[in-house]
Amino acid sequence: MDHPILSQTALAYSPVIDRQRNVIATRLSVFPLTPGQRLDPSALMDALATVWPADGPAVWLNVVSETLLHDLLQTRPGKQMLIEIPAFMAADPANVDAICTLHAHGSTLLLKGRPLQELPRDVLPCFKHAIVDFHEDRRVDQATGGVGFNPEGLVRHITHVQSGIETVGDMEVSFRRGAVAVLGWPIDDAIQDSGKPADQPALQVIVQLIDQVQRQADIEDLENTIKRDPPLAYKLMRYINSPAFGLSVEIGSFRHAIMILGYQRLKRWLALLLATASKDPNMRPVMFAAVRRGLLMEELARAAHADDETRSELFICGVFSLLDRMFMQPFAQLLKTIPVPERVYQALAEGTGPYEPYFRLVRALEGNTLFDIREAADNMLMGAGDINTAVLKALSVASELD
């Protein structure tokens, strides 16, 4: 991924979530690092094609630069690239031809923000959805006594996607308002100290397996534990045999996996399994985030030339970083039942230690502000090129696991 443009931009990512709580696409925000610098849109497309090839999954491209976006409109992005166009640019007659030409060539366009003036007649049909911020939505929530539309009788001629989603409650309200999808991270709900883990058998089986692996229990004991949940065993085998793992032989059984991987490498995949085991539909965005956090923290450690043990621990730190949401318990209590390395405990339960800067950077990359990304990157003494390369590699591997 030796693309010079990765050193000239900052990338941030977030999920696109449909009504069934499935993550249907990734939204990628692109921030130029130097105001006024002319960037090559074709170079940007080439870099992104390493993760999103022409026949690959969709990516919603949020280019936070009028100049770069204007130049991008003159190119022919692949059909997997859904281009967000701010309302003020869509309303500008100077952009009508470029927008209509892209639409005619099969590009999917998204209207970002609420137009302050009527769009040109030829432009509105070019957009598939309008992206409306949660806090700026003029529609009235039916659950609070509204009639579905604002008092002015707002009517939308195209379906809308809600942005700015931070909690499960925001997400549910958005879908009640009629959104076809939401953008954001609905993972900021308050944690309730329930005093016990979530009542999900699969989670308990994985926690027991992690404990047994930590103690290097006999293979027979591990096999007996995972036999309690056959679908879990199947999912673990699917993970291990995925292209992301890169094994040259196919793993046919749990015993075979232990023999090939060993106890230490098996911890990594049990951690991933635990972070993706919830059957609650509202947890799907949380699981999406956990997988990418783990892979990204590992790639950032690789860019920093960290050793194998550190990379492994940072992977576990990332995928475990949202277990408090899944178990509805604070980390200080939760990690009494799930064995983790001391440095992982410091980062998750105390917000301290050598892994905390990695954690802060990853959370910044899930946001949409260049300031937070710059601050976290400076604190890590990492350049934009290394960070963006890590982001794209992590997203590429994650797509192989989804």
Side-chain angles (χ1 to χ4, degrees):
M1 295 189 180
D2 186 19
H3 298 278
I5 197 167
L6 296 182
S7 298
Q8 302 168 328
T9 56
L11 304 179
Y13 65 96
S14 61
V16 183
I17 305 160
D18 69 8
R19 285 178 170 270
Q20 288 70 46
R21 283 32 172 193
N22 295 315
V23 178
I24 56 174
T26 298
R27 185 198 206 194
L28 191 76
S29 297
V30 182
F31 304 88
L33 293 179
T34 304
Q37 181 182 11
R38 204 75 183 227
L39 299 177
D40 183 356
S42 297
L44 177 63
M45 293 298 100
D46 289 344
L48 300 186
T50 60
V51 181
W52 296 281
D55 58 349
V59 55
W60 292 23
L61 203 55
N62 174 35
V63 178
V64 191
S65 163
E66 183 179 353
T67 301
L68 178 57
L69 180 56
H70 182 272
D71 290 344
L72 181 62
L73 296 182
Q74 315 306 316
T75 67
R76 294 289 177 268
K79 292 185 178 181
Q80 82 282 20
M81 300 284 178
L82 282 67
I83 309 300
E84 299 181 18
I85 301 179
F88 76 89
M89 288 185 65
D92 187 343
N95 295 320
V96 169
D97 288 345
I99 292 173
C100 290
T101 299
L102 275 181
H103 176 66
H105 283 85
S107 292
T108 301
L109 306 178
L110 307 165
L111 180 66
K112 185 173 68 173
R114 196 170 63 212
L116 299 180
Q117 62 189 78
E118 187 175 356
L119 298 183
R121 182 184 301 272
D122 294 338
V123 166
L124 187 59
C126 297
F127 294 102
K128 182 177 179 65
H129 304 301
I131 301 173
V132 181
D133 186 85
F134 180 78
H135 299 290
E136 296 179 358
D137 196 344
R138 292 180 290 171
R139 293 162 68 102
V140 177
D141 182 14
Q142 292 178 348
T144 60
V147 295
F149 297 95
N150 73 331
E152 300 172 3
L154 172 68
V155 177
R156 291 202 173 115
H157 298 285
I158 57 176
T159 55
H160 80 283
V161 174
Q162 203 94 79
S163 61
I165 301 302
E166 298 177 351
T167 68
V168 171
D170 292 348
M171 179 171 64
E172 291 176 343
V173 167
S174 297
F175 287 128
R176 285 201 301 271
R177 288 174 173 172
V180 297
V182 298
L183 294 173
W185 294 101
I187 57 179
D188 286 345
D189 295 295
I191 302 303
Q192 301 173 2
D193 185 355
S194 64
K196 60 180 180 179
D199 185 20
Q200 295 194 37
L203 297 178
Q204 304 310 311
V205 170
I206 303 168
V207 170
Q208 184 176 352
L209 283 170
I210 291 174
D211 181 63
Q212 289 175 321
V213 168
Q214 182 73 16
R215 295 186 284 104
Q216 297 196 359
D218 292 340
I219 293 179
E220 289 76 12
D221 292 338
L222 290 165
E223 283 187 314
N224 289 334
T225 299
I226 202 167
K227 283 177 182 176
R228 289 163 42 196
D229 195 326
L232 196 65
Y234 170 79
K235 187 176 181 180
L236 179 62
M237 292 301 103
R238 186 170 64 84
Y239 272 156
I240 292 175
N241 285 309
S242 70
F245 201 88
L247 290 178
S248 58
V249 297
E250 182 174 350
I251 302 297
S253 68
F254 190 60
R255 175 182 288 267
H256 189 199
I258 298 172
M259 294 173 62
I260 294 293
L261 302 177
Y263 284 93
Q264 292 303 313
R265 293 182 70 194
L266 185 60
K267 283 183 187 178
R268 166 194 178 94
W269 296 95
L270 290 175
L272 184 63
L273 202 61
L274 181 59
T276 58
S278 176
K279 295 180 176 61
D280 181 355
N282 284 330
M283 286 292 107
R284 289 173 186 162
V286 175
M287 295 186 286
F288 176 94
V291 171
R292 281 147 185 80
R293 282 185 176 186
L295 292 168
L296 180 50
M297 289 177 76
E298 181 181 39
E299 288 300 334
L300 290 170
R302 195 186 312 278
H305 306 292
D307 57 33
D308 290 345
E309 181 181 9
T310 298
R311 293 201 303 270
S312 178
E313 289 188 0
L314 279 164
F315 175 85
I316 291 173
C317 186
V319 297
F320 276 6
S321 65
L322 291 166
L323 287 187
D324 57 341
R325 269 68 180 172
M326 292 174 58
F327 282 80
M328 299 304 289
Q329 287 182 272
F331 278 116
Q333 180 173 347
L334 178 59
L335 296 183
K336 292 178 182 178
T337 61
I338 304 175
V340 297
E342 176 64 22
R343 292 179 290 189
V344 174
Y345 181 89
Q346 290 173 344
L348 298 182
E350 300 172 352
T352 62
Y355 295 163
E356 191 277 334
Y358 287 91
F359 196 26
R360 189 189 315 170
L361 177 56
V362 168
R363 284 181 293 184
L365 295 169
E366 294 173 346
N368 265 314
T369 66
L370 178 58
F371 176 83
D372 289 343
I373 296 174
R374 280 187 185 274
E375 184 178 52
D378 289 346
N379 189 48
M380 288 279 296
L381 301 178
M382 292 191 71
D386 287 339
I387 293 173
N388 290 334
T389 297
V391 168
L392 294 183
K393 284 183 177 179
L395 294 179
S396 178
V397 173
S399 68
E400 296 174 348
L401 292 172
D402 289 341

